[in-house]
Amino acid sequence: QLQLVESGGGLVQPGGSLRLACAASGGTFTDYSIAWFRQAPGKEREGVSSISTSGGNTNYKDFAKGRFTISRDNAKNTVYLQMNNLKPEDTAIYFCAAAPSDFGVIVGTFRIEDHHFWGQGTQVTVSS
């Protein structure tokens, strides 16, 4: 069983930056692609970005393109999400999730049911 733990959330002013981390343990990290999802109050969980098992392929939702960067360090079993130029509408709980294939990353989908393991989430609040 893969365990995922997110960190790096917090309160930031509009235009600011945060770097989220997703640390994995208990399984073979390189068997899984990793995606970031977010859920704002009263809204459905939505995909943000994803990265393939090797890190060679990435995928972003339109709102994240040009502002967010996903990366992974397989030696440290960790995936990062660098978020720049944050906006109030980015306020949400951010979750990382693991899927046992690169299919979703390659075709650009963020299906919740494809992701077998989830972290508990980290709160990101963008406010002045």
Side-chain angles (χ1 to χ4, degrees), residues 56-106:
N57 295 93
T58 58
N59 187 36
Y60 298 90
K61 293 297 284 287
D62 285 346
F63 64 80
K65 290 178 180 177
R67 299 190 300 131
F68 295 0
T69 303
I70 192 170
S71 61
R72 70 188 289 163
D73 184 339
N74 284 341
K76 295 183 177 180
N77 287 0
T78 302
V79 169
Y80 304 97
L81 184 69
Q82 177 68 43
M83 304 189 296
N84 298 328
N85 191 22
L86 283 161
K87 304 175 181 180
E89 52 264 41
D90 294 318
T91 295
I93 300 174
Y94 283 71
F95 301 88
C96 63
S101 81
D102 287 338
F103 180 77
V105 180
I106 293 170

